[in-house]
Amino acid sequence: MARLQYQTHGRGALAGLLMLLFPVFLPSLFSPLGHASPSMLSEWNAPKPRHSRLLKSALQSDTTNAQQSALWIPLANEGWRPCVESTKTPSLPEKSEGYIQVFLDGGLNQQRMGICDAVAVAKILNATLVIPHLEVNPVWQDSSSFMDIFDVDHFINALKDDISIVKELPYEFSWSTREYYATAIRATRIKTAPVHASANWYLQNVLPTLQSYGIAAISPFSHRLAFDNLPMDIQQLRCKVNFQALVFVPHIRVLGDALVSRLRNPSGKSGALGTSYLQESTEGAGKFVVLHLRFDKDMAAHSACDFGGGKAEKLALAKYRQVLWQGRVLNSQFTDEELRNQGRCPLTPEEIGLLLAALGFDNSTQLYLASHKVYGGEARISTLRKLFPLMEDKKSLTSALERGQIKGKASLLAAVDYYVGMHSDIFISASPGNMHNALVGHRTYENLKTIRPNMALLGQLFLNKSISWSDFQQAVIEGHENRQGQIRLKKPKQSIYTYPAPDCMCHT
């Protein structure tokens, strides 16, 4: 805070006193970098619904039993099945070339992909993999380790025929730590790995270090292995890691199973607005939708879109963007209308609610909200809750005691949401991102219904302020007929973790 200038004028003294007291009584105004926590200013100016006409129609619309029934029909079998076992006989090299260490940044799902790539690189180099080190994300501030999140013994056992894995380095290499590489340039650190590097790059640039020193530490490592032009057994190994070897620790699975059970058997629970007016539909009984609502402050700021909070919100997000990314993320040169036409604006809670309603989900739908803190808090979510009063989340379905092991740990919270997402009847994400991509790929692998919002179409529809509910609903239904989890074959440069076919799936 700038130094106060003492003034003799009475009003000046009063103003100075108020400035001193403001941080005490309104601390959120002075914490612009609190992740996904809306400033007090944004709460004071909470935006009203931006699509009031559509919202009113959605609340009054009826869904027939036939429509409800169609929504919950599982995906048809398109003839694809998981196929990650190599045709080659699994075998470990007679002698390891040395130890590979990787340091992974990002959130849970970015780190998950990095772990898969690390196993593949170790296989390419005939090296022994040290359990990857997960960096503390500057935004999420979670220090959870690999062993805090994933079942390490299952991981090692599942891959025992593919590569050698150790939980920690032997004593003679115990000096190779994150702190060691942070203090000086080290011969054993590989920090020049290009994004999407080829297998040959690792053979030419990392193998010599391994052979000379017996160890190589690669950092940074996120997105450092190509998705194309790799041997089929390496591609299948990456999928084996992702879909079979990476299993969450037991307490995450136990909590996830409890959440799934309570969502499927919600007896005795009522929605926030009660159940007296809920539509009498039994078609979705025992079924639930997981909505991944990625609408935190970082997402809102990064997109540079207008979310209806007025000039104050625009200025606050622009300041947040500058402070957090220090000029690396610039204010967009496109107008809000252009961004929405291009499908580059994340859907607000109101908009994802209208999408679900247009598809035929109604206020009898059991909805699980998978998200971190939502930018704007309850004021942003209230419209979504009006449409779906049976909306639950981790907090509403569990006790404080049950949440004790995951409280305040973003990666573990995300792991629970991932687990519930994999066990839901339908999954939908409000915007693309690592969680969306990871679950789309995993659910494709398991042939589970997954709705992918048509962002460009929705952006255009929401810009049309005169569109009727019937026209909106028809456009939404037609625009999402082929976006419900049907197999999409991987194209060049696309992620194998989002598009597992054909590399990791066989067509019968």
Side-chain angles (χ1 to χ4, degrees), residues 54 456-465 467 471-472 475-476:
L54 290 177
L457 170 66
L458 292 168
Q460 294 161 22
L461 292 176
F462 285 128
L463 284 171
N464 184 351
K465 299 303 180 183
I467 191 170
D471 288 344
F472 176 80
V476 166

Side-chain angles (χ1 to χ4, degrees), residues 23 96 108 165 205 212 221 230 410 440 451:
S96 170
L108 171 69
I165 305 174
N205 295 274
S212 297
F221 188 70
L230 290 173
V440 164
I451 299 173

Side-chain angles (χ1 to χ4, degrees), residues 104-120:
L104 302 173
D105 56 14
L108 171 69
N109 294 293
Q110 182 173 317
Q111 290 172 336
R112 184 188 185 102
M113 291 181 279
I115 293 165
C116 301
D117 288 348
V119 171

Side-chain angles (χ1 to χ4, degrees), residues 296-414:
D296 53 36
K297 192 171 185 178
D298 306 312
M299 172 68 81
H302 195 279
S303 71
C305 298
D306 179 7
F307 298 107
K311 185 177 180 180
E313 181 177 79
K314 288 182 181 178
L315 290 173
L317 290 178
K319 180 179 179 181
Y320 183 84
R321 190 159 48 242
Q322 174 61 34
V323 173
L324 187 62
W325 290 293
Q326 299 178 352
R328 296 191 301 274
V329 178
L330 303 176
N331 295 334
S332 177
Q333 298 178 348
F334 297 101
T335 65
D336 181 71
E337 182 175 346
E338 290 170 331
L339 289 170
R340 292 187 182 280
N341 274 316
Q342 296 166 21
R344 293 169 62 178
C345 293
L347 298 176
T348 65
E350 176 190 8
E351 290 167 343
I352 195 70
L354 290 170
L355 165 61
L356 287 169
L359 289 171
F361 297 99
D362 60 27
N363 55 15
S364 69
T365 300
Q366 191 76 30
L367 193 67
Y368 176 84
L369 190 62
S371 70
H372 199 53
K373 294 179 181 178
V374 174
Y375 175 58
E378 184 59 32
R380 290 274 189 193
I381 301 176
S382 59
T383 303
L384 177 63
R385 199 179 298 281
K386 285 181 182 178
L387 288 165
F388 300 99
L390 300 184
M391 184 168 70
E392 307 282 5
D393 58 19
K394 292 181 288 292
K395 189 173 182 179
S396 68
L397 287 172
T398 59
S399 67
L401 181 62
E402 289 175 305
R403 298 192 304 275
Q405 287 183 276
I406 65 172
K407 183 179 179 181
K409 299 176 180 178
S411 292
L412 298 186
L413 291 165

Side-chain angles (χ1 to χ4, degrees), residues 174-187:
S174 59
W175 48 265
S176 184
T177 64
R178 183 183 184 281
E179 291 71 28
Y180 172 75
Y181 293 109
T183 56
I185 297 173
R186 309 294 186 182

